[in-house]
Each structure stands twice: as C-alpha cells, then as structure tokens.
Amino acid sequence: MLAIAILFWLCIGLILWTHVAYGVVVAGIARLYRRAPAASEILPRVLIVVAAYNEAAVIERRLENLLALDYPADKLKIVVSSDASTDATNDLVAAIATREPRVQLLVNERGGKIQAQDKAVRAFGDDADVLAFSDANCTWAPDALRVLVRPLADPSVGYVCGRLAILDADGVNKEGAYWRYEMWLRANESAIGSVTGGNGSIYAVRRSAYIEVHPSMGHDLSFPYRMVQNGLRAVYEPAAVASEKPSKDTEEEYRRKVRMFEHCWLIVLRGKMLRRLPPLYWLAIVSHRHLRYLTGLLHLIALGANIALLVGESGSVLYWLTLLGQIGFLGLALLGKARVRVPFAALAWYYTLVSWATTKALLNYLRRGVPATWEAAAGTR
C-alpha cells in the first residue's frame, strides 16, 4: 500500500504543480529577475506567410487586414501559401495580387501547413530580414507587426510570439479563460528567459534563425525550445495583438485540442526537447509542457490509486475524502456539460474535456501517428 500511496500523492502533486504551483513560482522569479530584450525602432524587411487550406470564407479579410498594417509598404511582402486549396481561396488571393504588388500567391501540392510555410520561405524569404507568420482566421491590430519585430533587434532573440486575444465565444467554450491564464504564464516565462510555447496566430522569426522541422511538428511548440537549443531566446511580446474567434463550444474545442495534442505528443516523444537546455528552461519545459500533456493520465492513475487505497486501507477517512473530491469535481463538470448555471461548472467541464484530450491524443498518436495535413475548425472562421 505504501507504493500505491506514494503514486497517488505523486500524481496529485504533479497535477497541482503543472496547473498552479509552477505559475506561482515563475511569477515570483519574474518579479526578482527580468531579462527585457533590447528593442529598436529600426524596422526590418518582413515577409508575412499565411498558410491556407480552403480559407475562402476569411482570406480576403485577412489580406486586407495585413495590407492595412502600420508598416512601411516598401519593407513588407505577404505570401499566401495555399496547401492545394479546392475552394475559391486561390482565385480570391490572385485577384488581390493583381492590384497589390505586396501580395503573392504560392500554390502547392497537398502537404500540410508546415510544408506550405517552408515552401513560402524558400521561394520568397531570401530578401527578408524577418519572417512573420499568421493564421488565416485571425486579425492583427494596426501596430501589431511594428511591435512584434522590435525584440528581434536584440541579437540574443531569435523568435517572438505576440498575444492572441480570444473573442467572446458564440457558445459556451471556456477557451478564453484558459488562454488568459496561459498568456500570463507566458509573460512570466519570457521575463526570465524564454517561453515554452507560442501560437500560430502571430509570431516572427529572425530569417537567419529559421529552421525546417518535421512536417507533422508545428512551429508553436517546436520553435521556442529549438531556438534555446541554438543559443537564442524565444520571447513573448504582449503588445503585438492578434484576435480570433474560439470554437463555438467546448465539445468542438475538444476535437481541436485532440488534433493539436497529437502534434504535441509527436514533438515530446520524438523532438529531442530536453537536449542542450539550461537548467531553468529544462524545468520549464517539463513543468509547463510535459506534465501538462500528461494531465489526463495523471488523473486516471490518481483515481485508480485512490480506489486501491480505499480497498487496502479499509475505508480510511482521508482517502474517502480524496475520492469524494474527485467525484465531486466530475459531478461539477457534468453540470457544466448540461449547461446548468452553477459557478465554475462550465470551467470544470472544459478542464475535464481538455485533460481527456491529452490522453485521447496520445492513444491516437500511438495507434496511427500524426497526419501533416489539417482541417480548419468551422466555428473559428
């Protein structure tokens, strides 16, 4: 029983560490020790890459937004790298390109987002100092690019991600609440060194620091730690703002998260994440990424160990209380699923689904691997 008790409390401790205590510790360190990049108002030449697959519903709006940015026109080029779109995406981009020389269309065979980005960089990146990337469904603030590139004036910085603002959901998705916490955590990680993850809506890379990763590995997770491995920082610039709609409800967000976590598991298991990292950043990767993705498994193990302890400890009051706590949380989550207006019920349901998504994604990865291609979540367009 001692081994099972240790396993139970270890799982509970790791869950609390990754979701609560780690953030408190990082915030405390950030108050004492900050490494702000040396910014500059000198504006580099920028290539913005928008990878697109069947984005006819949003691509015109996306290009008009980028063309209206407060950035010198002679230092900005935009390429839409179409991943063999079968709708009107290519025609819409081509029509804009005929009247706007800053816009280019690159049509590729179906190969996924990463291959579309790589091909755009190979074809148009040689004249750029900075490569910026954006999803097709987001909107950048007018000064977003100008602010985004400033930290890259610091030669120690190779990657910058901006702040993604989740707009009010059409349904009951609690992604916005989670994302606000994530942005706070990312700001503190950046303050003491480097972030452990980015987002696909708004980020930039020094051209000389750009690397090509496996087509099934996204930039969001792989670029930050690879920059650190190469002796550079990956930082967060909250003043560079992009906005987008969340999935319409938690269930749609669950499906999106499963697809995302499949790529995360590929990087965790095959991406050599823990090599050549400074000790503090190594701890950050394990705490914020590895343990976060293990959350679903940790909960399942804790529940099983709790039941085993009740059997072995002849109904110990302590373990009855811990079991009732777990059952109570699941009950609160079910109320959230039923959309009963109880405080924190919707958030509990969101947490439960996302935690299970990490486990479902691992099972999918082990069973069939990870596809390089992707389908856009309809509710986010």
Side-chain angles (χ1 to χ4, degrees):
M1 285 297 110
L2 177 60
I4 296 177
I6 292 173
L7 180 63
F8 171 75
W9 290 112
L10 177 63
C11 289
I12 296 298
L14 292 176
I15 291 168
L16 292 175
W17 170 257
T18 186
H19 288 290
V20 181
Y22 168 70
V24 173
V25 170
V26 171
I29 297 174
R31 290 178 65 88
L32 301 173
Y33 173 74
R34 306 185 70 87
R35 296 176 59 193
S40 171
E41 293 302 325
I42 298 176
L43 299 177
R45 297 169 300 167
V46 178
L47 172 68
I48 299 179
V49 177
V50 180
Y53 174 67
N54 289 352
E55 297 286 7
V58 297
I59 196 63
E60 289 179 296
R61 183 187 71 203
R62 177 81 282 248
L63 288 175
E64 295 299 340
N65 170 244
L66 292 176
L67 289 169
L69 291 175
D70 177 21
Y71 205 85
D74 62 338
K75 291 187 174 184
L76 177 62
K77 181 179 290 186
I78 304 162
V79 57
V80 175
S81 192
S82 174
D83 189 36
S85 295
T86 57
D87 64 356
T89 297
N90 296 350
D91 294 336
L92 293 171
V93 175
I96 294 175
T98 58
R99 61 177 170 80
E100 176 50 70
R102 288 181 291 171
V103 175
Q104 299 284 340
L105 170 66
L106 179 64
V107 179
N108 308 291
E109 295 180 354
R110 187 81 163 124
K113 181 178 182 179
I114 299 303
Q115 286 195 18
Q117 291 173 319
D118 288 341
K119 289 179 179 179
V121 171
R122 293 178 208 151
F124 299 99
D126 288 345
D127 294 332
D129 304 307
V130 171
L131 307 170
F133 299 87
S134 170
D135 288 335
N137 64 314
C138 70
T139 301
W140 285 11
D143 65 344
L145 182 59
R146 183 181 289 268
V147 176
L148 183 67
V149 300
R150 283 193 312 206
L152 290 171
D154 188 328
S156 71
V157 176
Y159 168 97
V160 184
C161 68
R163 176 167 64 90
L164 175 60
I166 302 293
L167 301 176
D168 290 339
D170 295 334
V172 295
N173 187 3
K174 291 299 179 180
E175 174 73 0
Y178 161 77
W179 195 249
R180 287 190 292 274
Y181 171 72
E182 180 68 20
M183 292 298 97
W184 171 80
L185 187 53
R186 188 168 298 177
N188 287 313
E189 287 181 339
S190 179
I192 63 176
S194 292
V195 296
T196 59
N199 69 77
S201 296
I202 180 167
Y203 65 102
V205 184
R206 189 186 303 279
R207 176 64 182 97
S208 59
Y210 184 81
I211 52 178
E212 294 191 6
V213 300
H214 188 280
S216 294
M217 294 184 181
H219 288 173
D220 299 1
L221 182 58
S222 60
F223 266 23
Y225 81 87
R226 290 287 296 272
M227 293 294 153
V228 175
Q229 288 176 339
N230 292 335
L232 296 169
R233 291 180 66 192
V235 303
Y236 170 57
E237 177 47 75
V241 180
S243 59
E244 67 178 47
K245 292 170 56 180
S247 304
K248 65 180 180 180
D249 54 38
T250 304
E251 288 74 14
E252 183 178 290
E253 182 64 20
Y254 165 77
R255 293 187 290 271
R256 190 181 76 88
K257 280 286 196 291
V258 169
R259 294 192 298 270
M260 182 190 75
F261 286 134
E262 289 173 1
H263 293 269
C264 292
W265 278 116
L266 172 65
I267 297 171
V268 166
L269 297 175
R270 295 182 54 191
K272 303 176 182 177
M273 292 186 75
L274 301 180
R275 296 188 178 184
R276 307 194 316 274
L277 298 180
L280 188 59
Y281 191 71
W282 186 95
L283 179 62
I285 287 287
V286 171
S287 301
H288 192 178
R289 298 300 160 188
H290 291 198
L291 292 179
R292 187 72 63 88
Y293 306 145
L294 281 169
T295 295
L297 280 175
L298 291 172
H299 274 291
L300 290 174
I301 294 170
L303 181 59
N306 201 156
I307 294 172
L309 286 166
L310 277 176
V311 173
E313 295 288 340
S314 302
S316 166
V317 174
L318 174 62
Y319 292 117
W320 272 114
L321 290 174
T322 55
L323 180 62
L324 289 174
Q326 293 177 80
I327 294 173
F329 185 85
L330 289 175
L332 185 64
L334 290 175
L335 291 175
K337 175 178 171 57
R339 303 188 181 183
V340 177
R341 293 186 176 276
V342 175
F344 304 109
L347 193 59
W349 177 235
Y350 173 84
Y351 175 85
T352 300
L353 273 190
V354 173
S355 296
W356 175 245
T358 62
T359 304
K360 175 63 174 175
L362 177 59
L363 295 175
N364 288 349
Y365 168 73
L366 295 175
R367 186 175 70 252
R368 58 168 170 75
V370 181
T373 56
W374 85 106
E375 300 284 345
T380 63
R381 263 60 186 166

